[in-house]
Structures are given as C-alpha cells and as structure tokens.
Amino acid sequence: MLVLGLETSCDETGVALYDSERGLLADALFSQIDLHRVYGGVVPELASRDHVKRLLPLIRQVLDEAGVRPAQIDGIAYTAGPGLVGALLVGASCAQALAFAWSVPALGVHHMEGHLLAPMLEEAPPQFPFVALLVSGGHTQLVRVDGIGRYQLLGESLDDAAGEAFDKTAKLIGLGYPGGPEIARLAERGTPGRFVFPRPMTDRPGLDFSFSGLKTFALNTWQQCQASGDDGEQTRCDIALAFQQAVVETLTIKCQRALRQTGLNSLVIAGGVSANRALRASLESMLARLKGRVFYARPRFCTDNGAMIAYAGCQRLLAGQHDGPEIGVRARWPMDSLPSCQA
Ligand SMILES: Nc1ncnc2c1ncn2[C@@H]1O[C@H](COP(=O)(O)OP(=O)(O)OP(=O)(O)O)[C@@H](O)[C@H]1O
Ligand SMILES: [Mg+2]
C-alpha cells in the first residue's frame, strides 16, 4: 500500500510517500523557523498561511522524486491533531480534497502517534511491547506501548513540556529560537559542576514531570551572574550545561522507573528533544546496565516530518481504518483514546 503523508500541525510542512512493501520512497520538509524566529516563538496565523503556500509544491516535489503518479497512491494520511487548529486545517482540507479527487481513503493521524512510531522507519526497529518517552515541544509523556493504538499513559508533565522548557530557558538567557539545539550547542563548552540545578520530582514516587521550576532556576542564576557582571558567553555555556544535565538526569531517572514498573527493557524515545545527544548517551548507558536497548529515529525524523505521518497512516489504512469525507481536526486529543490496530 502506497500512502502520501501530510504534516502541518505546527511550524513545519512535511510531506512523504511511504510504501508498505518498499519503505520510505521520498520525503520533503519546509521548516518555518526563520519566519517565526523574529517573534521568539510560533505565530499561529503566519504558520497556517505558510502551510497553504508550501504544501502543494512539496507534494509535487515528493511525487517527482519518487517517480510516482497520483493514480498509484492508495491512501492519504494527514495530521488531524493535536496542534494548532488553523495549521491542522490546511493539511486536513488538502488531504480530503486530494482523496476525493483521486478516489482513495483519507485518514487523520494523531501527531504524537506519528512521533512515537518514527523509530519504526529505522533499520532495526523496536518490537512491541516497549516503554516510550515522548519529549517534544508540546509534550513530555511516558507511555507503555503494546501495539499500534494500544497505549497506556504512565506519566506526563504537569506544566512545561521538556522542549518548551529548553525553548523558554534559552530565551531567558538570551539565546535564539528554537532553544533546544542552541542550549545543546552551548552545553558542549560548559564547565561541569559550576552550577547544579535541581532534578524536579525525582525525590517522590510516580512518573510525572515538572519542568517549569528549572526555567525559573535558570533565570535566577542568570540574573545573579548579571548583577555581579559575570554575564559573558562562558556563563551562558555553564548555565546551558547545568540545565541540560538536570533535564537529562530527570528524564533518565523516570525512564528507569517506568521500565522497572512495567518489567520491560526496550525504550523508545521520540519527539524533538530525542535528538539531544546528551539524552541519548545517558539513556543508552542506563539501558546497557539493564541489558536492554534504546531506540530512536534519525535526527530529522525526531522533529516534525511527513514520513512519520505516512508510516502511521499506512499501518491504520492497512487495518481498514479511514475517515469519512468531513474535515475535522482536534487541538487536543488524548492518545490513549485511539482505536487499536491489527494490520
Ligand atoms: N538537540 C536538541 N536538544 C534539545 N531539544 C531539542 C533539540 N532539537 C530540538 N529540540 C526541541 O524539540 C522541540 C521541537 O520538537 P517537535 O517538532 O517534536 O515539537 P512540536 O511538534 O513543536 O511539539 P508537539 O510534537 O508536542 O506538538 C523544540 O522545543 C526544540 O527546542
Ligand atoms: Mg511534533
């Protein structure tokens, strides 16, 4: 089955073609980061308008690259939520219009299910069951995954998502947007041990997270340094390192707890923060101690992309699921409400 996937939930327009027999045939992405950078964050109306501009040219590009004609496509998958409603509507309307014109089914995919399944596009994909850590700009969740659509939420952030904490902290210490890659870059030059940040909610049982206090801790540290005239590049690097270490260690402790609680030893990490090298290294050494394995997608499939939507949509279309002709998107959508899927 050959599926066209469209991703427009936030500030990336992603398009891909996935074939259940041949794998990923082509994928293209346009990132709106430069458009939003001047505002220090995503401006929803600008995001929607840019998706309108980019989507059809990207679809043409992907079809050309793969040498695929529209008549060969068996279904269209698009991100139906969660995300920015205006941005989601661009992908949903385009998918439904093309599905109608090409007489194929369309299917709305859950964006976080897309992230969660992205490591399945890699050479040695994980086997069910596993624990998944979803760490993106809008979500921090630990999920037990027994199959596609068989998700049990084990814990989540009570306030800021991990990626959001990276972005906000970066802004507070005067770094660019998006903050995750900026903090990771500066942390490489940080002085270990100069600052030590707390590991929130690790001293009590449970699998929930809280990252908003870390951002305040970073701001207070930065303001104290500024007051004493110590606000140069090295101080920014030292704060970036202390912040990153706190997030990484907190995530590692909770992942270990989730693995112990479920009795599993496979961990999947997905979403933009899963591209963080310090996080990958820390989880890998924890899993090596447990004689388990950690799985993640190649860096460009950690952040938003069309390939993960095409893949997730293909699995569900193969199982006979599809939408009606109505155009419906959801800003919020609990992942554990999804139907299970036996292909
Ligand atoms: N190397 C990195 N280290 C830490 N954070 C990173 C890194 N690369 C990207 N990020 C963060 O990942 C986030 C973007 O990821 P993603 O595109 O998955 O999120 P989103 O789509 O905005 O949110 P959601 O998927 O929850 O709707 C940003 O917060 C960004 O700062
Ligand atoms: Mg995302």
Side-chain angles (χ1 to χ4, degrees), residues 7 9-10 12 111-112 115 136-139 271-272 302-304 308:
E7 157 62 41
S9 70
C10 190
E12 259 109 17
H111 180 78
M112 297 313 293
H115 276 306
S136 58
H139 294 81
C302 290
T303 44
D304 292 352
M308 67 185 195

Side-chain angles (χ1 to χ4, degrees), residues 11 33 46 53-54 58 63 74 85 109 117-118 127 132 137 142 151 193 208 237 274 314 318 324 327:
D11 59 345
I33 283 176
L46 293 182
K53 250 191 351 218
R54 309 286 169 191
L58 282 180
L63 292 180
D74 299 306
V85 167
V109 169
L117 297 177
Q127 305 283 315
L142 272 164
Y151 308 130
D208 287 334
C237 294
S274 71
C314 183
L318 277 172
I327 294 170

Side-chain angles (χ1 to χ4, degrees), residues 149-201:
R150 296 173 64 200
Y151 308 130
Q152 187 196 345
L153 184 64
L154 303 172
E156 64 185 331
S157 178
L158 305 176
D159 41 57
D160 292 351
E164 188 181 1
F166 267 96
D167 294 337
K168 288 179 174 171
T169 300
K171 201 170 177 179
L172 290 172
I173 61 169
L175 303 179
Y177 169 84
E182 284 290 296
I183 290 200
R185 193 171 57 80
L186 264 66
E188 283 176 22
R189 286 181 282 131
T191 316
R194 177 169 172 208
F195 301 114
V196 180
F197 283 27
R199 274 59 175 149
M201 293 182 70

Side-chain angles (χ1 to χ4, degrees), residues 7 19 25 35 40 64 66 73 93 105 115 134 147 155 181 185 190 205 211 216 226 255 258 264 284 332:
E7 157 62 41
D19 184 275
L25 302 187
L35 184 71
D64 285 351
I73 291 173
S93 332
H115 276 306
L134 302 177
R185 193 171 57 80
F211 289 113
T216 314
Q226 277 181 316
C255 285
L264 300 174
E284 262 161 13
R332 292 182 188 282

Side-chain angles (χ1 to χ4, degrees), residues 42-295:
V42 179
V43 183
E45 183 59 25
L46 293 182
S48 315
R49 287 168 191 234
D50 207 61
H51 287 308
V52 173
K53 250 191 351 218
R54 309 286 169 191
L55 198 50
L56 289 176
L58 282 180
I59 292 173
R60 278 197 200 98
Q61 180 186 328
V62 160
L63 292 180
D64 285 351
E65 265 172 35
V68 161
R69 284 172 289 106
Q72 294 171 276
I73 291 173
D74 299 306
I76 304 181
Y78 62 95
T79 305
L84 303 170
V85 167
L88 290 166
L89 277 171
V90 178
S93 332
C94 180
Q96 289 287 8
L98 288 177
F100 183 76
W102 295 344
S103 300
V104 293
L107 177 82
V109 169
H110 191 290
H111 180 78
M112 297 313 293
E113 178 173 78
H115 276 306
L116 168 62
L117 297 177
M120 297 290 186
L121 292 162
E122 301 305 323
E123 236 167 54
Q127 305 283 315
F128 301 117
F130 53 76
V131 169
L133 172 71
L134 302 177
V135 268
S136 58
H139 294 81
T140 305
Q141 295 183 326
L142 272 164
V143 185
R144 182 192 163 108
V145 181
D146 285 287
I148 294 178
R150 296 173 64 200
Y151 308 130
Q152 187 196 345
L153 184 64
L154 303 172
E156 64 185 331
S157 178
L158 305 176
D159 41 57
D160 292 351
E164 188 181 1
F166 267 96
D167 294 337
K168 288 179 174 171
T169 300
K171 201 170 177 179
L172 290 172
I173 61 169
L175 303 179
Y177 169 84
E182 284 290 296
I183 290 200
R185 193 171 57 80
L186 264 66
E188 283 176 22
R189 286 181 282 131
T191 316
R194 177 169 172 208
F195 301 114
V196 180
F197 283 27
R199 274 59 175 149
M201 293 182 70
T202 52
D203 58 351
R204 64 185 98 160
L207 295 171
D208 287 334
F209 305 90
S210 167
F211 289 113
S212 72
L214 272 184
K215 167 190 76 194
T216 314
F217 202 91
L219 178 64
N220 290 340
T221 308
W222 175 237
Q223 284 176 339
Q224 277 161 18
C225 292
Q226 277 181 316
S228 58
D230 183 13
D231 55 357
E233 179 76 354
Q234 189 56 49
T235 296
R236 280 203 179 90
C237 294
D238 297 344
I239 292 177
L241 177 64
F243 171 83
Q244 178 174 275
Q245 280 180 331
V247 174
V248 164
E249 201 179 304
T250 302
L251 292 171
T252 305
I253 290 169
K254 297 283 169 134
C255 285
Q256 184 165 2
R257 223 178 257 180
L259 292 167
R260 197 176 304 137
Q261 185 178 308
T262 54
L264 300 174
N265 69 352
S266 289
L267 178 73
V268 163
I269 53 170
V273 183
S274 71
N276 186 280
R277 290 220 299 260
L279 177 64
R280 290 179 174 198
S282 168
L283 291 173
E284 262 161 13
S285 67
M286 185 262 285
L287 261 299
R289 285 196 302 277
L290 298 183
K291 307 217 176 329
R293 259 201 77 181
V294 54
F295 299 86

